Amino acid sequence: MGKTIRTDAVKEFFEAVLSLENVDECFDFFEDVCTVNEVLSIAQRFSVAKMLKENHTYLEVAKETGASTATISRVNRSLNYGNDGYEMVLARLKEKQK
């Protein structure tokens, strides 16, 4: 089996993320922890997932997000064969907007 993210260090990091109380704290924390490009890449993947769930085409997603077709394909694979993390978060955000 390959690498896993389920390590004590990652668990501690996720617990730190869960301790953040608002978007401003998230900005402060992630600006310290990640490079600007890392945060932008993660945000781009999230935007790609959202658009794919809304049934946009790869071409539309690429044009709107600037993501490569390789990135779009990886996100699509996660949507279809992953752990349903995108699905869970997108559903919660949709419910929160109601």
Side-chain angles (χ1 to χ4, degrees):
M1 193 164 159
K3 290 183 180 180
T4 179
I5 67 166
R6 296 182 185 271
T7 66
D8 289 340
V10 174
K11 181 181 177 189
E12 187 173 25
F13 172 70
F14 288 161
E15 288 172 354
V17 171
L18 289 171
S19 77
L20 300 171
E21 295 181 2
N22 56 51
V23 173
D24 286 332
E25 287 186 2
C26 288
F27 275 109
D28 291 342
F29 180 72
F30 281 95
E31 282 185 64
D32 286 348
V33 172
C34 300
T35 67
V36 171
N37 285 338
E38 288 168 336
V39 174
L40 294 175
S41 291
I42 293 167
Q44 181 186 62
R45 288 183 195 139
F46 186 73
S47 295
V48 167
K50 185 176 176 187
M51 289 187 73
L52 289 173
K53 288 301 295 173
E54 294 169 349
N55 296 314
H56 290 272
T57 66
Y58 272 36
L59 184 60
E60 292 169 332
V61 174
K63 186 175 181 180
E64 177 72 24
T65 66
S68 68
T69 54
T71 295
I72 297 168
S73 180
R74 278 193 295 273
V75 171
N76 194 49
R77 190 173 345 142
S78 291
L79 287 170
N80 291 316
Y81 305 108
N83 296 316
D84 294 328
Y86 283 121
E87 308 272 351
M88 174 184 58
V89 171
L90 290 169
R92 287 179 183 169
L93 289 175
K94 188 175 185 179
E95 185 63 31
K96 189 176 179 179
Q97 290 175 347
K98 287 183 180 180

